[in-house]
Amino acid sequence: VVNCNKFPNSPNFPMMYGALEIYSFKAIDVYARNKGLCFTDMGVMLPLWGEDYFMTHCLDHIGVGRIADFGTLGDWNCLGNDCSQQWTASFHPFKGVKEWEGCLNATLR
C-alpha cells in the first residue's frame, strides 16, 4: 500500500512511507520468493534508500501491484496530520508524551 504522495510530480512518489507499512499476504509471498532479484539488481542502494523506499522499488521490480491509500497515515513528513481524523490508522511523528497524548485525545473526541 503506497500511503505518501508528498511530491506527486516526482517519479519516486507515491511511495510506501516507513511510519506505516502495509503489505498483503500475497505481496509478502511474492517478495519471499523473489527478493533475490531485488538484492541483486538494487541491493547496493539499500544503505542509501532506507527500507521503505527500497521495498517500494523492490515490490515494483518484482511485479507486485500497488494500492493507494493516502488516508491511513497522518504524517507531518508526508501529507500532514490531523489527529481529529478518526479513520486514520497511524499518526506520526510524535516524539514526546505530551504531543502523543494531545493527538490521542483529539482522536478520541
Side-chain angles (χ1 to χ4, degrees):
V1 174
V2 291
N3 56 12
C4 181
N5 199 19
K6 186 173 186 176
F7 304 104
N9 296 324
S10 168
N12 297 316
F13 283 85
M15 69 175 281
M16 177 174 44
Y17 203 65
L20 179 65
E21 298 179 29
I22 303 169
Y23 305 94
S24 69
F25 177 82
K26 187 172 182 178
I28 293 300
D29 182 56
V30 172
Y31 172 76
R33 288 185 282 113
N34 296 287
K35 66 184 175 218
L37 292 172
C38 295
F39 286 100
T40 298
D41 296 343
M42 63 184 86
V44 68
M45 298 305 292
L46 185 55
L48 302 173
W49 283 354
E51 93 289 343
D52 51 358
Y53 193 77
F54 177 81
M55 286 300 292
T56 300
H57 288 281
C58 173
L59 294 176
D60 287 345
H61 187 60
I62 59 176
V64 173
R66 292 179 171 202
I67 297 171
D69 186 345
F70 303 118
T72 56
L73 175 64
D75 195 310
W76 288 117
N77 298 323
C78 188
L79 294 176
N81 194 344
D82 181 355
C83 294
S84 69
Q85 296 298 322
Q86 294 180 352
W87 45 264
T88 300
S90 178
F91 300 102
H92 183 263
F94 292 99
K95 304 293 185 184
V97 173
K98 273 190 158 182
E99 287 179 298
W100 184 87
E101 286 178 340
C103 184
L104 174 64
N105 291 335
T107 302
L108 297 174
R109 284 189 205 123

